[in-house]
């Protein structure tokens, strides 16, 4: 029922209030009128007994008079009048109470009925004696009937008097009760009117109060205050619909403002990230410039030397110079770009070829690559510095026993790039310093590109937006080291032709 009331429209609620108020007044009026009508009927019935006894007395007199008239004139009309009077009186006495009770009025009515039946029997005998011309008999019967008539008449008058006294007392009591009922009726009507006013005021308040609250909240929103407490509404009328729409509007505005704030925050962080990345890249390029001769000049010179070696038929020299040229060309073209994992592995291949030429094949290099991951994006100049560290700090002095393994594999949505050597290993203290960026190598190995592990780790963190981008494990002294880099899978978009 409560749910149905909440679902009513405003028109339905207002109409309901009007109907309930008027229906309540109507019901109370009907109850009061019914009570008044019942009391009026009771008052009217107070003297019904006296009226009935008067009718009985008149009917008795009519029987006596019609009998006397017939005895005097002996006509058919007088005889017909007698029978009519006798039948009427007989019907009336049949209505008298014959129950055996201890009430005086009931006993008197029973006696009147019994005497009246005897009286009618004697009167009938009198009429029959008259018709049979039995003068002596009808005279005796007439005297007996007349005696019974006076006796019944006196009994009826006595009963009528007693009932009149009793009915008068009842009438006085009913009159007093009627006046009390009238006073109570006025009081009830007054209470009902007050109740109706209270109900209408309360129900009207349930309609206008939400509107006032909603108006105040709308005013706050108009002033720019969106941190207001949303208004609750369980009804589904027009006010409930407007309240729900208002709450949704405020929520949408809050979400829109939050999206703008987050967008501005992301834009700021993106710009900061770009600035940091640019700073690291410039730092890396500066170290390249400090550590090497102009790479453009070297690339052009090596390219010319490769062409000369090819023309002279020096294939091994050509291949060596060509790898050198490709190595420097990558540094020139890819130094500030996002590249693919395949391009980084190709650079490591060139680098390892060059080293093995320099060191007469002393460095053993092996790869195990998941080919489906070659298009994953990553920053440039990441793998070569890691491999270079393995060579310079791990296996350089191992005289042909040094080994490097490059592995690329996938764990769910993460690409794992492992660079492992069998060199001198690292202490845990050194590992912690490298990962935290506090390790300082005072003397860069000969031929180093000048990019340290700190720069590599910093750029990986910026690119992946994650702190856990690297792990370094070592079995201890002369037990080798493994460096593992972690990348989220993000394939490079194809460039427009």
């Amino acid at each position: 029922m409560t749910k149905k009331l909440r679902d009513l429209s405003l028109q339905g609620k207002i109409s309901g209030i009007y109907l309930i108020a008027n229906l309540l007044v109507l019901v109370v009026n009907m109850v009061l009128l019914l009570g008044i009508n019942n009391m009026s009927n009771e008052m009217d019935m107070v003297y019904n007994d006296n009226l009935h006894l008067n009718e009985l007395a008149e009917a008795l007199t009519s029987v006596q008079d019609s009998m006397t008239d017939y005895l005097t004139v002996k006509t058919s009309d007088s005889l017909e009048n007698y029978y009519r009077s006798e039948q009427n009186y007989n019907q009336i006495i049949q209505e008298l109470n014959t129950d055996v009770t201890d009430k005086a009025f009931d006993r008197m009515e029973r006696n009147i009925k019994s005497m009246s039946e005897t009286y009618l029997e004697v009167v009938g005998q009198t009429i029959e004696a008259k018709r049979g011309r039995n003068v002596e008999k009808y005279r005796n019967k007439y005297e007996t009937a007349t005696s019974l008539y006076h006796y019944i008449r006196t009994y009826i008058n006595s009963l009528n008097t007693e009932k009149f006294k009793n009915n008068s007392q009842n009438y006085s009591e009913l009159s007093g009760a009627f006046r009390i009922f009238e006073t109570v009726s006025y009081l009830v009507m007054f209470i009902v009117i007050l109740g109706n006013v209270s109900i209408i005021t309360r129900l009207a308040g349930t309609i206008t109060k939400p509107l006032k609250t909603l108006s105040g909240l709308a005013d706050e929103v108009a002033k720019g205050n969106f941190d207001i407490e949303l208004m609750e509404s369980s009804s589904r009328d027009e006010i409930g619909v407007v309240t729900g729409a208002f709450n949704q509007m405020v929520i949408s505005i809050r979400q829109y403002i939050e999206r703008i704030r987050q967008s501005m925050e992301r834009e700021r962080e993106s710009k900061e990230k770009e600035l940091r990345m640019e700073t690291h890249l410039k730092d890396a390029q500066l170290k390249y410039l400090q550590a090497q001769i102009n790479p453009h000049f070297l690339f052009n010179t090596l390219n010319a030397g490769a062409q000369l070696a090819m023309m002279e038929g020096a294939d091994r020299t050509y291949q060596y110079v060509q790898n050198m040229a490709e190595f420097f060309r990558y540094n020139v073209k890819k130094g500030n770009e996002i590249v693919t994992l395949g391009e980084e592995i190709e650079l490591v291949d060139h680098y390892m070829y060059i080293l093995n030429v320099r060191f007469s094949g002393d460095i053993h290099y092996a790869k195990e690559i998941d080919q489906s991951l070659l298009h994953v994006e990553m920053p440039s100049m990441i793998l070569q510095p890691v491999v270079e560290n393995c060579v310079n700090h791990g296996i350089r002095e191992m005289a042909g026993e040094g080994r490097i393994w490059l592995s690329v594999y996938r764990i769910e949505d993460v690409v794992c790039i492992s660079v492992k050597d069998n060199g001198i290993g690292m202490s845990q203290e050194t590992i912690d310093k490298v990962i935290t960026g506090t390790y300082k190598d005072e003397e860069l190995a000969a031929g180093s590109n000048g990019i340290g592990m700190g720069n590599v780790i910093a750029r990986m963190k910026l690119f992946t937006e994650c702190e856990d981008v690297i792990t370094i494990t070592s079995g201890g002294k002369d037990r080798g080291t493994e460096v593992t880099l972690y990348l989220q899978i993000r394939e490079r978009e194809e460039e427009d032709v």
Side-chain angles (χ1 to χ4, degrees):
M1 181 61 72
T2 304
K3 184 177 183 296
K4 291 182 179 179
L5 289 176
R6 290 200 301 266
D7 294 343
L8 284 176
S9 64
L10 282 178
Q11 182 179 1
K13 289 181 178 179
I14 294 173
S15 301
I17 293 172
Y18 176 79
L19 290 175
I20 290 173
N22 285 276
L23 184 62
L24 184 59
V25 173
L26 177 63
V27 170
V28 172
N29 281 330
M30 290 181 64
V31 171
L32 294 178
L33 289 174
L34 183 62
I36 292 173
N37 187 46
N38 289 335
M39 295 192 72
S40 297
N41 290 335
E42 289 181 5
M43 294 180 70
D44 291 338
M45 292 176 63
V46 165
Y47 293 105
N48 280 346
D49 292 338
N50 294 106
L51 293 175
H52 185 70
L53 290 174
N54 289 334
E55 290 177 0
L56 181 64
E58 290 176 359
L60 177 64
T61 302
S62 176
V63 172
Q64 183 70 21
D65 291 345
S66 62
M67 179 190 68
T68 303
D69 186 51
Y70 176 75
L71 294 177
T72 303
V73 297
K74 196 180 178 181
T75 63
S76 58
D77 291 339
S78 61
L79 180 62
E80 184 178 354
N81 288 335
Y82 159 74
Y83 284 126
R84 189 181 300 111
S85 299
E86 186 269 340
Q87 184 178 8
N88 181 46
Y89 183 69
N90 189 47
Q91 290 177 352
I92 293 175
I93 65 174
Q94 296 303 319
E95 298 176 1
L96 294 175
N97 188 14
T98 59
D99 297 335
V100 179
T101 64
D102 57 352
K103 295 182 180 179
F105 292 158
D106 293 341
R107 289 197 300 272
M108 294 178 71
E109 285 189 17
R110 190 169 63 251
N111 292 334
I112 291 173
K113 181 178 181 181
S114 178
M115 289 187 295
S116 295
E117 290 174 349
T118 302
Y119 168 74
L120 290 176
E121 184 179 353
V122 173
V123 170
Q125 292 174 355
T126 302
I127 296 298
E128 290 298 325
K130 178 64 177 178
R131 294 180 67 183
R133 291 183 176 81
N134 189 343
V135 177
E136 183 67 23
K137 183 177 180 181
Y138 87 77
R139 285 181 177 177
N140 292 332
K141 294 296 182 180
Y142 175 76
E143 292 177 358
T144 303
T146 302
S147 176
L148 286 171
Y149 164 72
H150 289 295
Y151 187 73
I152 294 172
R153 182 72 184 220
T154 302
Y155 214 80
I156 290 174
N157 290 336
S158 176
L159 178 60
N160 198 7
T161 302
E162 293 298 325
K163 282 199 171 187
F164 183 81
K165 292 179 181 179
N166 184 67
N167 289 337
S168 296
Q169 182 179 355
N170 291 338
Y171 184 83
S172 298
E173 293 176 357
L174 285 174
S175 297
F178 186 82
R179 285 191 293 271
I180 294 174
F181 185 81
E182 185 178 19
T183 303
V184 172
S185 299
Y186 289 138
L187 181 61
V188 169
M189 284 299 300
F190 180 73
I191 293 174
V192 168
I193 292 173
L194 286 181
N196 276 341
V197 172
S198 176
I199 292 173
I200 293 173
T201 303
R202 184 178 180 84
L203 292 178
T206 60
I207 296 174
T208 58
K209 184 178 179 180
L211 289 175
K212 292 180 180 179
T213 304
L214 187 61
S215 175
L217 294 177
D219 187 54
E220 288 294 319
V221 171
K223 294 177 182 178
N225 178 18
F226 300 106
D227 294 329
I228 58 174
E229 184 177 354
L230 297 181
M231 180 178 172
E232 295 183 0
S233 177
S234 58
S235 64
R236 295 184 181 178
D237 56 12
E238 290 83 351
I239 296 176
V241 173
V242 173
T243 301
F246 177 79
N247 290 340
Q248 187 59 46
M249 179 193 71
V250 174
I251 292 172
S252 298
I253 293 175
R254 289 176 180 174
Q255 292 175 345
Y256 179 70
I257 293 174
E258 180 63 20
R259 285 197 297 270
I260 292 177
R261 187 192 66 77
Q262 292 178 356
S263 177
M264 294 177 65
E265 184 68 21
R266 285 195 298 269
E267 185 177 355
R268 182 185 64 80
E269 291 177 354
S270 177
K271 288 183 178 180
E272 290 180 354
K273 177 183 173 182
E274 290 177 4
L275 289 174
R276 290 197 300 269
M277 180 68 81
E278 185 178 351
T279 300
H280 284 289
L281 288 174
K282 286 183 178 180
D283 180 60
Q285 291 169 353
L286 179 60
K287 290 182 179 179
Y288 266 110
L289 292 174
Q290 292 173 342
Q292 303 176 60
I293 304 173
N294 189 318
H296 289 279
F297 177 74
L298 279 179
F299 167 69
N300 293 329
T301 301
L302 290 172
N303 195 38
Q307 296 298 323
L308 181 61
M310 182 180 64
M311 287 187 293
E312 292 179 349
D315 293 337
R316 293 184 62 188
T317 303
Y318 167 74
Q319 191 174 4
Y320 174 74
V321 174
Q322 186 66 29
N323 275 277
M324 288 288 293
E326 290 296 328
F327 180 78
F328 281 106
R329 181 170 61 180
Y330 185 89
N331 289 335
V332 171
K333 296 183 66 175
K334 307 293 185 178
N336 58 353
E337 293 183 5
I338 301 299
V339 298
T340 63
L341 179 57
E343 290 174 319
E344 280 287 283
I345 293 174
E346 187 178 353
L347 177 65
V348 171
D349 292 343
H350 291 313
Y351 177 69
M352 292 304 300
Y353 179 85
I354 294 169
L355 288 182
N356 275 317
V357 171
R358 287 177 57 194
F359 297 108
S360 303
D362 286 346
I363 303 174
H364 301 280
Y365 172 58
K367 297 186 297 181
E368 186 176 351
I369 310 297
D370 184 346
Q371 299 296 318
S372 65
L373 303 175
L374 295 180
H375 293 288
V376 175
E377 290 184 336
M378 65 182 299
S380 64
M381 293 181 289
I382 293 293
L383 293 186
Q384 188 270 332
V386 175
V387 174
E388 186 175 351
N389 258 325
C390 291
V391 173
N392 291 336
H393 300 286
I395 63 174
R396 167 171 283 187
E397 306 298 333
M398 293 184 67
E401 298 297 328
R403 295 182 181 277
I404 292 179
W405 294 273
L406 175 61
S407 302
V408 178
Y409 54 93
R410 176 176 180 167
I411 299 178
E412 295 183 351
D413 292 334
V414 178
V415 176
C416 302
I417 307 169
S418 170
V419 180
K420 184 177 180 181
D421 66 62
N422 63 341
I424 61 175
M426 297 174 65
S427 66
Q428 188 61 46
E429 181 181 359
T430 304
I431 291 174
D432 293 339
K433 288 183 178 180
V434 171
I435 292 178
T436 57
T438 59
Y439 179 76
K440 302 295 182 182
D441 189 3
E442 297 295 339
E443 295 182 359
L444 291 172
S448 171
N449 64 11
I451 299 178
M453 288 295 294
N455 185 283
V456 169
I457 295 172
R459 289 193 293 128
M460 282 289 291
K461 288 181 178 181
L462 284 173
F463 180 79
T464 62
E465 298 180 350
C466 181
E467 290 296 318
D468 298 327
V469 295
I470 186 171
T471 58
I472 301 175
T473 58
S474 176
K477 185 174 178 57
D478 298 327
R479 308 254 335 244
T481 302
E482 181 179 9
V483 178
T484 305
L485 301 174
Y486 302 100
L487 279 171
Q488 293 290 331
I489 293 179
R490 182 170 57 179
E491 295 195 357
R492 189 175 190 178
E493 297 180 359
E494 295 184 0
E495 296 180 356
D496 296 333
V497 178

